[in-house]
Amino acid sequence: SYTTMISAFSHIDFDKSLRYFNEMQNSNRFSDHADEFTYNSLIKTHVSRGNFNEANKLVKEMTKNGLNVSFITLKLLIVGFI
């Protein structure tokens, strides 16, 4: 699935991971839409790279797409600021 590919590539080839994410977002199949796990994988990588603005954009996009920001999402952001 896209989420598996995004998660796997976020650790080795982040640009490729972002390409899969964009492809997933443009897919017409409902099963291909990003879920909390997908967003958290990207947020974690952005935070670990110091890209806090990009991580914040993803959090906003999550809520815009009807996903709840969970404790795990907030933890990923907080750990990045410590």
Side-chain angles (χ1 to χ4, degrees), residues 37-77:
F37 183 78
T38 310
Y39 278 102
N40 283 344
S41 293
L42 293 173
I43 290 167
K44 180 179 180 180
T45 304
H46 274 304
V47 167
S48 71
R49 293 169 164 238
N51 299 332
F52 300 110
N53 288 335
E54 293 301 317
N56 190 42
K57 286 180 190 177
L58 286 172
V59 171
K60 289 179 182 180
E61 186 177 316
M62 272 178 83
T63 58
K64 186 181 98 178
N65 290 332
L67 296 170
N68 293 323
V69 176
S70 70
F71 172 77
I72 294 170
T73 306
L74 293 175
K75 182 181 173 189
L76 290 171
L77 293 170

Side-chain angles (χ1 to χ4, degrees), residues 17-45:
S17 181
L18 291 174
R19 284 195 303 274
Y20 279 121
F21 179 72
N22 290 329
E23 186 178 313
M24 175 189 217
Q25 295 298 82
N26 293 322
S27 173
N28 291 327
R29 295 187 333 207
F30 178 75
S31 63
D32 286 341
H33 288 269
D35 59 13
E36 179 188 341
F37 183 78
T38 310
Y39 278 102
N40 283 344
S41 293
L42 293 173
I43 290 167
K44 180 179 180 180
T45 304

